């Protein structure tokens, strides 16, 4: 069916050849190279010259070589616009309203047929585009597709502010289209390699709000853009052209954020957003680019259910938190004499916290049980309402450091001086400058470290493909699991005190506790699979531990860690380490690192390093 449609388009284009007006070659070339036509075709400069389109779907193009020849696609489009009006909704004017409008304006095409585009007319009337909001659901470590956050656009109708009708708006989203139930590892791999098609979707905003803010317990940031009604409509009409049109989807560059930047360039011709992202497009960086382009008019914040629950429970005592847990399980205990003996204002806070806890767990429990408990607690809240909930707004995500990091270090390893050069593509570790990031979250992708010792000996020190840690503290109401996973190449102690470059995959799980304000303690059990040529069996498994402290102090972040691996072949490897970062500015940090390594294959080794870290996209 798809191939038949493509053939019909070519036939219609040929039939329309005699009807279209002649176009001078110079005019054709000028229009084909116009930035707006390039944007409409999603073209980029090819690696070996010429053009290529990001669109990976033949149905989008009218010319045979339209994906690599903007001039041929423009000429084919112009011819197609003169096809008979009787085609109705299948007429190219109906299929390509953005191209039609632009070509009519550029060439004063007053003699075009007038097909009845009923489907498009009804669709655009239903969407009723008037203004645009860029929505950023914050990073969510427990979902591979959402670790770096996400961006989408909300298309608002004219009465959004006067009638407070944001939930009736539409969300414009670009994402990977997944058929079947791929596990997280396969999902991450295929996402990295472009194994999924990417599609635009226009869905009710309330559905996306539920998905991100409720189901995944993620904060939402809403950036109202200063696009005019005309600019918003121009963008939405191009979205009609992209319905069911496939793009290759890549997590780090051709992703949700990059595609939305392309739409904003269509909405407001002349702004340059995508050119800032030749290698990767991390959502926070794209939000920063939109802000730097002067597009943001206002910022609104929607806290997640988790943040609202913790804010309500912040003032509760230990015995009151115990009542929250009891009421969460059995709201009938609202009538217990011990509970009724509490002051009314304290009962109001407890009831509200219990209701929020029930709602927090709503997705993990049976709907009927959850609804009944929610109803009972709501009744109690109505009879004894709590004071309005005030949630402190965290720092803006785009005010954090930029995602790529260059590193320059000098140090000493057992009296051998060295220099070290590093690059991390993305995007944050436990010690990095904290503003805009949650304490205890780490996502590092592709980190390379090269070391040069004083005798001019150079070596690859480490290559991390991924290193992810989630240290979320437990409390009386919530018991999240802390975990970590990583893999790549690294140097470890070998025989005779030498260092061996080994490959590894490792992970662990455990718990984190809030020991004091800005002080976390964590303990994880770990597992490791290592390729090491010093071992009799070069691939060896190990069990171990990783524990320590994370302290947010006046200088920056400090970590103190103890880790160990116990291999099945009898090798025991342990490490003590301390890292303190001094946050010199938003995008500049100075880190002092010290560690002592132990191995049965060699004597203990001490290492001290001072590292300058420059965060730069």
């Amino acid at each position: 069916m798809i191939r038949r449609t493509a053939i019909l388009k070519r036939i219609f284009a040929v039939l329309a050849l005699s009807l279209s007006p002649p176009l001078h070659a110079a005019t054709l070339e000028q229009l084909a190279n116009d930035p707006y036509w390039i944007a409409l075709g999603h073209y980029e400069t090819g690696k070996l010259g010429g053009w290529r389109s990001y669109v990976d779907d033949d149905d989008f193009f009218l010319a045979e070589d339209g994906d690599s020849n903007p001039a041929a696609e423009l000429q084919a489009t112009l011819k197609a616009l003169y096809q008979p009006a009787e085609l109705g909704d299948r007429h190219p004017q109906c299929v390509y309203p953005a191209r039609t409008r632009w070509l009519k304006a550029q060439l004063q095409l007053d003699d075009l047929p007038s097909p009845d585009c009923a489907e498009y007319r009804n669709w655009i009337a239903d969407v009723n585009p008037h203004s645009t909001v860029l929505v950023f659901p914050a990073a969510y470590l427990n979902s591979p597709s959402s670790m770096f956050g996400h961006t989408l656009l909300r298309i608002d109708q004219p009465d959004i502010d006067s009638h407070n009708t944001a939930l009736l708006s539409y969300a414009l989203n670009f994402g990977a289209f997944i058929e079947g139930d791929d596990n997280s590892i396969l999902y991450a791999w295929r996402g990295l390699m472009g194994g999924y098609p990417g599609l635009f979707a226009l869905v009710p905003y309330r559905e996306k709000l539920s998905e991100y803010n409720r189901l995944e317990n993620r904060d939402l940031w809403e950036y109202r853009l200063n696009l005019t009604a005309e600019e918003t409509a121009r963008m939405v009409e191009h979205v009609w052209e992209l319905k069911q049109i496939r793009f290759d989807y890549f997590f780090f560059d051709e992703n949700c954020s990059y595609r939305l930047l392309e739409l904003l360039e269509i909405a407001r011709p002349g702004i340059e957003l995508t050119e800032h992202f030749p290698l990767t497009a991390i959502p926070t960086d794209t939000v920063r680019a939109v802000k730097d382009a002067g597009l943001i008019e206002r910022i609104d914040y929607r806290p997640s259910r988790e943040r609202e629950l913790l804010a309500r429970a912040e003032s509760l005592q230990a015995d009151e938190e115990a009542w929250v847990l009891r009421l969460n399980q059995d709201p009938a205990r609202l009538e217990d004499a011990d509970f009724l003996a509490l002051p009314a204002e304290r009962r109001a806070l407890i009831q509200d916290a219990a209701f929020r806890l029930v709602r927090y767990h709503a997705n993990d429990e049976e709907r009927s049980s959850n609804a009944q408990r929610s109803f009972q607690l709501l009744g109690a809240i109505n009879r004894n309402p709590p004071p309005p909930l005030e949630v402190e707004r965290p720092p803006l995500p785009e005010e954090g450091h930029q995602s790529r990091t260059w590193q320059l270090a000098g140090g000493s390893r057992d009296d051998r001086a060295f220099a070290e050069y590093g690059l991390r593509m993305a995007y944050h570790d436990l010690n990095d400058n904290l503003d805009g990031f949650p304490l205890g979250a780490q996502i590092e992708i592709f980190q390379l470290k090269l070391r040069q010792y004083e005798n001019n000996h150079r070596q690859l020190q480490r290559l991390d493909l991924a290193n992810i840690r989630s240290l979320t503290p437990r409390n009386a109401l919530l018991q999240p699991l802390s975990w970590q996973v990583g893999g790549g190449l690294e140097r470890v102690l070998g025989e005779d005190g030498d260092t061996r470059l080994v490959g590894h995959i490792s992970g662990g799980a455990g718990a984190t506790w809030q020991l004091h304000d800005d002080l976390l303690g964590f303990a994880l059990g770990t597992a490791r699979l290592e390729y090491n040529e010093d071992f009799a069996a070069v691939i060896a498994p190990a069990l171990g531990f990783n524990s320590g402290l994370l302290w947010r102090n006046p200088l920056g972040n400090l970590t103190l860690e103890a880790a160990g691996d116990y291999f099945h072949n009898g090798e025991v490897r342990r490490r003590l380490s301390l890292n303190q970062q001094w946050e010199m500015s938003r995008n500049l940090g100075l880190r002092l690192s010290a560690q002592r390594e132990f191995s049965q294959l060699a004597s203990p080794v001490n290492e001290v390093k001072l590292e300058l870290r420059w965060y730069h996209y």
Side-chain angles (χ1 to χ4, degrees):
M1 180 64 185
I2 293 176
R3 180 58 56 190
R4 188 187 310 162
T5 302
I7 293 173
L8 287 173
K9 286 184 176 181
R10 278 113 175 123
I11 293 174
F12 287 142
V14 172
L15 291 175
L17 178 60
S18 62
L19 299 176
S20 61
L23 189 62
H24 193 276
T27 304
L28 172 65
E29 190 68 23
Q30 181 181 358
L31 287 177
N33 289 318
D34 189 285
Y36 197 72
W37 180 254
I38 296 301
L40 286 175
H42 298 265
Y43 293 105
E44 68 158 353
T45 304
K47 299 295 187 292
L48 301 177
W51 297 97
R52 81 164 185 101
S53 176
Y54 285 117
V55 178
D56 299 287
D57 195 324
D58 289 341
D59 281 353
F60 183 70
F61 301 102
L62 291 170
E64 191 70 36
D65 57 347
D67 61 339
S68 59
N69 191 336
E73 184 65 16
L74 187 146
Q75 191 167 34
T77 301
L78 181 61
K79 295 171 183 176
L81 297 183
Y82 281 87
Q83 291 177 16
E86 291 74 21
L87 291 174
D89 288 312
R90 295 182 294 117
H91 196 285
Q93 292 186 44
C94 304
V95 178
Y96 301 102
R99 296 190 192 186
T100 302
R101 179 193 49 76
W102 186 74
L103 285 172
K104 286 179 66 176
Q106 297 299 311
L107 298 171
Q108 290 81 47
L109 302 179
D110 301 325
D111 57 342
L112 287 177
S114 300
D116 181 18
C117 302
E119 289 185 8
Y120 171 70
R121 186 173 62 253
N122 293 335
W123 179 83
I124 200 73
D126 181 55
V127 177
N128 196 9
H130 181 265
S131 58
T132 307
V133 175
L134 175 66
V135 181
F136 176 75
Y140 182 63
L141 289 181
N142 291 326
S143 172
S145 64
S146 305
M147 286 183 176
F148 298 97
H150 180 62
T151 54
L152 62 145
L153 296 176
R154 193 182 80 208
I155 308 302
D156 288 342
Q157 300 175 349
D159 58 356
I160 177 70
D161 289 324
S162 59
H163 291 75
N164 193 24
T165 55
L167 293 181
L168 301 179
S169 298
Y170 281 92
L172 177 55
N173 184 67
F174 179 82
F177 178 71
I178 305 166
E179 294 182 301
D181 298 318
D182 290 350
N183 60 46
S184 295
I185 295 176
L186 180 59
Y187 180 84
W189 173 254
R190 293 186 65 181
L192 289 171
M193 297 295 106
Y196 292 115
L199 296 173
F200 281 97
L202 197 66
V203 299
Y205 183 59
R206 61 180 178 276
E207 294 181 10
K208 281 296 176 183
L209 190 64
S210 175
E211 177 183 344
Y212 293 122
N213 187 245
R214 304 293 190 259
L215 301 185
E216 293 185 350
N217 288 300
R218 298 165 67 179
D219 291 341
L220 263 74
W221 299 87
E222 298 175 338
Y223 300 83
R224 177 162 293 282
L225 306 183
N226 55 20
L227 298 182
T228 65
E230 179 184 1
E231 290 170 329
T232 297
R234 182 186 300 140
M235 178 176 63
V236 173
E237 74 178 358
H238 180 59
V239 173
W240 173 263
E241 300 179 341
L242 298 174
K243 64 182 188 301
Q244 300 303 310
I245 296 298
R246 292 176 291 107
F247 295 73
D248 284 343
Y249 185 91
F250 294 87
F251 277 166
F252 292 124
D253 51 4
E254 298 179 36
N255 56 19
C256 61
S257 296
Y258 189 86
R259 293 278 88 89
L260 296 185
L261 295 183
E262 289 184 314
L263 293 184
L264 294 177
E265 289 179 337
I266 287 172
R268 180 169 291 176
I271 62 170
E272 297 176 348
L273 298 173
T274 55
E275 68 173 14
H276 301 300
F277 303 95
L279 294 176
T280 60
I282 303 299
T284 49
D285 290 327
T286 62
V287 172
R288 189 180 298 114
V290 171
K291 192 174 200 175
D292 292 343
L295 289 172
I296 294 177
E297 181 179 281
R298 190 182 79 219
I299 303 175
D300 297 317
Y301 169 63
R302 291 179 183 263
S304 66
R305 281 182 171 176
E306 178 181 350
R307 193 178 291 273
E308 289 179 334
L309 169 61
L310 295 178
R312 178 56 82 197
E314 187 175 8
S315 63
L316 298 180
Q317 304 299 318
D319 58 333
E320 295 172 328
E321 291 177 334
W323 270 112
V324 172
L325 294 173
R326 296 185 194 114
L327 297 179
N328 168 66
Q329 293 297 324
D330 183 12
R333 302 199 64 176
L334 288 164
E335 304 302 325
D336 280 11
D338 290 343
F339 181 69
L340 294 173
L342 297 174
E345 62 272 13
R346 304 310 296 175
R347 281 188 283 121
L349 295 176
I350 294 169
Q351 293 166 174
D352 190 55
F355 171 74
R356 294 180 186 279
L357 184 58
V358 170
R359 300 299 297 156
Y360 176 84
H361 291 299
N363 303 305
D364 303 324
E365 301 172 352
E366 293 185 8
R367 181 178 177 87
S368 58
S369 171
N370 180 275
Q372 183 177 6
R373 285 181 291 149
S374 296
F375 182 76
Q376 290 177 269
L377 288 167
L378 271 177
I381 291 172
N382 287 334
R383 293 188 295 271
N384 181 20
L389 179 64
E390 296 183 4
V391 179
E392 182 180 357
R393 193 175 89 164
L396 292 166
E398 73 274 11
E399 291 183 352
H401 65 75
Q402 299 199 42
S403 60
R404 192 170 301 143
T405 308
W406 300 89
Q407 305 149 21
L408 175 63
S412 173
R413 182 177 177 86
D414 263 6
D415 299 325
R416 293 180 64 199
F418 65 82
E420 189 173 272
Y421 318 97
L423 167 65
R424 184 185 65 195
M425 294 301 292
Y427 96 121
H428 182 78
D429 71 17
L430 297 181
N431 291 95
D432 279 327
N433 298 353
L434 192 62
D435 284 350
F437 295 88
L439 183 66
Q442 171 174 302
I443 308 174
E444 294 185 292
I445 303 295
F446 193 83
Q447 178 166 234
L448 173 69
K449 288 184 180 290
L450 302 175
R451 184 170 288 189
Q452 180 179 5
Y453 284 94
E454 54 187 336
N455 59 2
N456 212 30
H457 169 68
R458 299 179 178 87
Q459 67 182 29
L460 172 63
Q461 188 65 21
R462 68 182 305 133
L463 174 61
D464 293 325
L465 299 180
N467 194 348
I468 302 168
R469 308 178 80 178
S470 176
L471 304 179
T472 306
R474 301 161 70 90
N475 54 56
L477 303 183
L478 301 177
Q479 307 290 316
L481 181 72
S482 292
W483 57 273
Q484 63 185 37
V485 64
L489 305 174
E490 67 178 3
R491 294 276 172 182
V492 300
L493 281 177
E495 296 177 346
D496 303 322
D498 196 10
T499 57
R500 174 72 67 181
L501 187 65
V502 304
H504 76 96
I505 298 175
S506 57
T512 301
W513 300 269
Q514 189 93 40
L515 303 179
H516 199 267
D517 293 343
D518 295 325
L519 178 63
L520 304 181
F522 59 92
L524 290 80
T526 62
R528 180 182 175 97
L529 190 64
E530 180 172 300
Y531 178 88
N532 190 330
E533 294 181 354
D534 280 350
F535 293 162
V538 294
I539 298 180
L543 296 177
F545 68 92
N546 184 203
S547 60
L549 300 172
L550 173 57
W551 177 36
R552 174 64 176 168
N553 58 71
L555 288 179
N557 289 340
L558 179 144
T559 55
L560 177 63
E561 293 188 61
D565 293 305
Y566 299 83
F567 289 86
H568 84 296
N569 60 11
E571 160 69 349
V572 177
R573 193 184 297 149
R574 297 183 300 274
R575 184 185 77 254
L576 292 173
S577 63
L578 180 146
N579 295 277
Q580 169 68 60
Q581 176 125 332
W582 174 29
E583 298 178 0
M584 303 171 67
S585 67
R586 186 183 77 173
N587 288 311
L588 196 64
L590 187 64
R591 183 176 301 184
L592 175 66
S593 302
Q595 70 175 19
R596 183 173 176 83
E597 300 173 65
F598 305 86
S599 171
Q600 289 183 330
L601 300 177
S603 301
V605 174
N606 298 319
E607 179 175 305
V608 179
K609 180 173 65 175
L610 187 63
E611 181 178 65
L612 182 67
R613 302 173 69 86
W614 178 37
Y615 306 90
H616 172 72
Y617 186 80

